């Protein structure tokens, strides 16, 4: 059985969950795992004080269960193995992760996958603001990896994104792909104000605009051409392999291409599903 940590609901103070990742517990017994220190408020506590522990981490898998809304930075910097989280969790889930699979069966707070450098982050509920984004003052956001969200996401998804791919099944807030430098973002639902503002390169793939593309996009994006883009089918297959189904309107049909952001000399593109 994979090493399983079940939340005891023993504190309402913020808990720094950065150590809660597979590599921390590799080759540890349950007794050793219980002694791993976590920051709780301005003090420390051991994992065994906060969680019931069962199983072992011999297979490189870790399961964390319960109402984890007071736990932040869960899986931060994760580089290997698999981490399954069952329950809602606080901010910075999988931030700066570099590898492995982090699968959340629930929803999460802001900054999930922030400055991610590799791996797969799968969120089956909703995500907060700044998904896959750069931290304030930083010059680069997500630079490798894959983030998939089954629900909605907030503002500034993919802020300053450099590489990698993000898919959001539901609605997204304002500033999607803002100041994006490269990478690909799929938004399958409604889109907030100013998608692609300040983007220099990269691709936004939007299937929820319908006939409102001209009104929804900034005037610094201009219509270029209607075309089919075979690479979209490749992304659709990649996403489908992780349980995320892309609408056929942006995976196998023609799309309208808008180039921009011309205000910054941008060479990015927004691909809009053609209304059927």
């Amino acid at each position: 059985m994979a090493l399983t940590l079940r939340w005891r609901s023993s504190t309402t103070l913020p808990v720094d969950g950065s150590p809660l990742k597979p590599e921390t517990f590799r080759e540890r017994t349950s007794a050793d795992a219980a002694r791993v220190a976590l920051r709780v408020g301005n003090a420390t506590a051991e994992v065994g004080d906060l969680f019931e522990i069962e199983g072992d981490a011999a297979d490189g898998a870790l399961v964390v269960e319960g109402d984890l809304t007071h736990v932040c930075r869960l899986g931060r910097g994760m580089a290997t193995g698999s981490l399954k989280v069952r329950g809602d969790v606080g901010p910075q889930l999988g931030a700066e992760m570099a590898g492995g699979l982090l699968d959340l069966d629930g929803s999460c707070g802001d900054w999930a996958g922030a400055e991610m450098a590799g791996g797969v982050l799968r969120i089956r509920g909703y995500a907060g603001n700044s998904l896959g984004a750069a931290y304030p003052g930083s010059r680069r956001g997500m630079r490798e990896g894959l983030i998939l969200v089954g629900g909605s996401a907030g503002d500034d998804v993919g802020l300053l994104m450099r590489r990698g791919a993000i898919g959001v099944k539901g609605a997204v807030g304002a500033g999607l792909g803002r100041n994006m430098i490269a990478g690909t973002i799929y938004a399958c639902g409604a889109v907030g104000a100013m998608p692609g503002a300040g983007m220099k390169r990269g691709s936004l793939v939007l299937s929820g605009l319908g006939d409102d593309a001209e009104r929804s996009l900034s005037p610094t994006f201009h219509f270029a051409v209607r075309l089919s883009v075979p690479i979209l089918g490749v992304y659709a297959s990649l996403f489908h392999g992780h349980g995320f189904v892309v609408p056929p309107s942006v995976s196998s049909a023609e799309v309208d291409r808008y180039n921009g952001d011309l205000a910054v000399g941008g060479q990015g593109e927004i691909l809009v599903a053609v209304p059927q």
Side-chain angles (χ1 to χ4, degrees), residues 46-222:
E46 294 183 342
V47 166
D49 297 327
L50 303 174
F51 295 90
E52 297 175 0
I53 302 173
E54 188 177 4
D56 63 69
D59 60 356
L62 175 64
V63 179
V64 185
E65 299 179 343
D67 181 358
L68 304 163
T69 51
H70 295 291
V71 180
C72 61
R73 305 185 188 95
L74 184 59
R76 181 181 181 184
M78 173 178 166
T80 188
S82 69
L83 171 55
K84 175 73 174 180
V85 183
R86 300 189 180 109
D88 295 342
V89 66
Q92 291 184 259
L93 173 74
E96 303 164 53
M97 70 181 289
L101 170 63
L102 200 169
D103 189 345
L104 170 64
D105 188 1
S107 299
C108 62
D110 299 342
W111 302 106
E115 303 196 1
M116 184 173 176
V120 177
L121 173 57
R122 181 77 167 93
I123 299 166
R124 299 179 186 274
Y126 64 82
N129 297 323
S130 303
L131 177 76
Y135 292 125
S138 177
R139 299 175 62 182
R140 60 182 185 179
M142 180 178 176
R143 53 194 185 276
E144 288 289 353
L146 175 64
I147 300 176
L148 299 172
V149 179
S152 61
D155 296 341
D156 283 336
V157 172
L159 170 67
L160 279 165
M161 183 176 180
R162 285 181 175 265
R163 278 195 197 91
I166 298 173
V168 181
K169 195 76 174 203
V172 296
L176 174 70
R178 184 161 64 91
N179 296 343
M180 190 173 176
I181 297 168
T184 302
I185 304 177
Y186 276 69
C188 302
V191 177
M194 301 295 287
M199 75 184 294
K200 296 178 176 63
R201 292 187 301 278
S203 301
L204 300 183
V205 187
L206 311 181
S207 63
L209 292 186
D211 294 320
D212 294 328
E214 294 288 351
R215 293 189 297 273
S216 300
L217 300 182
S218 165
T220 54
F221 283 82
H222 80 91

